[in-house]
Amino acid sequence: MQLLTKILHPPITPSFTQNGVKSKGYNRFLLLLLMVLVSFTSKSEVYYISNSGNDSNNGTSENQAWRTLAKVNSFIPSPGDKILFKRDDEWTGTLEVKSSGFPQKPIVYGAYGSGEKPKLYGSKQVNGWKQYTGNIYQTTFSDPAINQVFIDGKRAKSARYPNTGYLDINQVNGKNSFTSAQLENGINYTGSTVILRAREWSISTKQVTASSGNSITINSAPLYDLNIGEGFVLFDKLKFIDEPGEWFYDKSTSTLYLWAPSGDSPENYEVRASTVKNGLFADAKKYVTVENLEFLHYSVEAFSLNDCSYFTIRDNNVLWPDGRGIYLGSKSSGNCTFQNNIIKGANHEGMHIIGESHSILDNSIEVINL
């Protein structure tokens, strides 16, 4: 209250006016006064989300919990509000941060109840499997964004050729064409994806546009010139499924193919496919806390923060994103805290943080840059 009294009854100084015109300092004073008044007078609420809830509820008690992420994302929280997900429950989609908090009244996204952390998935469950041939099964799955498949929580391997290591370039035919004696002559590789290891520090992804014998042509020249002895791997061909645990998605027919670990039907497992880009998205927001949640299987980034400051990301599990675990862009971001998070299985970076005066403390980061 002493702070409020001082602001409501400030000493009168000539700096507030110049030639009868209110100065910038006076405008800043009014803005600060408004922020403090709102902070003191606004009432904070706690909102609950449960798999057994209903979006027509008011959300302000466990018995009146909301149900869906869509409902949460349609709501604009006020400074000091808490949005809490029920432990042991799960959702699929992106959690969108729609507003900022105040320094002493951050907006909090967290958990309530007992049990495991609430799970937010970037993957959808896949069912309806039928035998295609031998140990390979197929199902229709209409989502072209698939870039990961999980079998009972373990990341499956996208079918590739060869199964391990690299093939070698034996002859360079041009800026975007090469020959490898290790390629099988009887396969048409057109339409597949090639990963080129052009340098020890650089990997390029290209599309195969033509195939003849053991020579292939790609859609454009890589960043670095092709050279004899450099390695490459091929993906995205049904022909490449040749061992347990591999999958292939045919975008042209919306068909997912899978060889389950024991060669049996994938219906005997929980199969999930990554389709959602980001787990939590925030743009130009401040004073937000995200804690005690678990983000799994996102196709790009689990946390995607742009130009955000005074965020606290703590005690979360970030598991198996295809891109980054936590991304904070923009040099103007600052004063964020990342603490006690578990980040595991990112195919690219565990954390990519830009800005100033951030605190990164006691996080566990493992199995990354795969």
Side-chain angles (χ1 to χ4, degrees), residues 153-179:
K154 296 181 179 179
R155 182 187 277 143
K157 185 171 72 172
S158 178
R160 51 172 279 175
Y161 178 67
N163 287 325
T164 60
Y166 292 87
L167 302 175
D168 297 319
I169 295 176
N170 302 126
Q171 178 180 315
V172 176
N173 307 319
K175 290 185 177 181
N176 64 332
S177 180
F178 58 87
T179 298

Side-chain angles (χ1 to χ4, degrees), residues 169-229:
I169 295 176
N170 302 126
Q171 178 180 315
V172 176
N173 307 319
K175 290 185 177 181
N176 64 332
S177 180
F178 58 87
T179 298
S180 173
Q182 296 163 300
L183 287 173
E184 295 183 24
N185 290 328
I187 299 177
N188 181 2
Y189 298 100
T190 302
S192 61
T193 300
V194 60
I195 309 295
L196 293 157
R197 189 180 182 184
R199 294 292 186 276
E200 291 83 350
W201 61 88
S202 176
I203 293 178
S204 298
T205 302
K206 299 293 180 181
Q207 301 303 311
V208 177
T209 56
S211 169
S212 177
N214 53 11
S215 296
I216 60 176
T217 300
I218 56 179
N219 58 325
S220 62
L223 178 62
Y224 297 99
D225 291 340
L226 299 169
N227 289 291
I228 294 174

Side-chain angles (χ1 to χ4, degrees), residues 82-330:
K82 295 183 179 180
I83 298 91
L84 305 181
F85 295 84
K86 188 177 181 180
R87 290 178 178 271
D88 282 335
D89 281 0
E90 61 185 50
W91 293 263
T92 295
T94 301
L95 177 58
E96 301 174 6
V97 177
K98 291 298 187 70
S99 56
S100 297
F102 286 160
Q104 301 304 319
K105 302 184 73 172
I107 294 170
V108 178
Y109 294 88
Y112 76 95
S114 59
E116 295 184 353
K117 288 180 171 66
K119 291 179 170 59
L120 277 70
Y121 278 100
S123 61
K124 297 178 182 178
Q125 195 160 348
V126 185
N127 297 300
W129 296 95
K130 298 179 180 179
Q131 189 175 25
Y132 170 67
T133 182
N135 295 316
I136 301 174
Y137 287 73
Q138 67 177 23
T139 188
T140 299
F141 192 80
S142 300
D143 199 319
I146 291 177
N147 63 355
Q148 298 189 105
V149 170
F150 296 86
I151 304 173
D152 286 346
K154 296 181 179 179
R155 182 187 277 143
K157 185 171 72 172
S158 178
R160 51 172 279 175
Y161 178 67
N163 287 325
T164 60
Y166 292 87
L167 302 175
D168 297 319
I169 295 176
N170 302 126
Q171 178 180 315
V172 176
N173 307 319
K175 290 185 177 181
N176 64 332
S177 180
F178 58 87
T179 298
S180 173
Q182 296 163 300
L183 287 173
E184 295 183 24
N185 290 328
I187 299 177
N188 181 2
Y189 298 100
T190 302
S192 61
T193 300
V194 60
I195 309 295
L196 293 157
R197 189 180 182 184
R199 294 292 186 276
E200 291 83 350
W201 61 88
S202 176
I203 293 178
S204 298
T205 302
K206 299 293 180 181
Q207 301 303 311
V208 177
T209 56
S211 169
S212 177
N214 53 11
S215 296
I216 60 176
T217 300
I218 56 179
N219 58 325
S220 62
L223 178 62
Y224 297 99
D225 291 340
L226 299 169
N227 289 291
I228 294 174
E230 292 171 352
F232 68 96
V233 185
L234 291 163
F235 291 88
D236 294 334
K237 207 76 172 173
L238 179 57
K239 179 75 174 180
F240 300 155
I241 297 183
D242 59 1
E243 65 179 19
E246 291 190 329
W247 64 274
F248 163 70
Y249 182 67
D250 189 337
K251 295 180 181 179
S252 64
T253 61
S254 299
T255 304
L256 179 62
Y257 299 87
L258 177 65
W259 185 334
S262 298
D264 52 344
S265 171
E267 293 288 351
N268 298 326
Y269 306 82
E270 182 187 51
V271 180
R272 302 185 68 99
S274 294
T275 61
V276 183
K277 289 183 178 181
N278 305 126
L280 181 138
F281 176 79
D283 182 50
K285 300 297 185 293
K286 297 182 178 181
Y287 301 108
V288 175
T289 296
V290 185
E291 59 189 8
N292 297 314
L293 300 176
E294 183 164 292
F295 296 84
L296 306 97
H297 306 170
Y298 284 90
S299 64
V300 181
E301 294 152 351
F303 283 83
S304 182
L305 312 176
N306 178 57
D307 196 20
C308 292
S309 297
Y310 300 98
F311 259 66
T312 298
I313 309 295
R314 65 188 175 204
D315 299 311
N316 300 285
N317 297 341
V318 178
L319 307 177
W320 311 107
D322 184 61
R324 305 175 175 112
I326 299 176
Y327 173 78
L328 173 58
S330 179

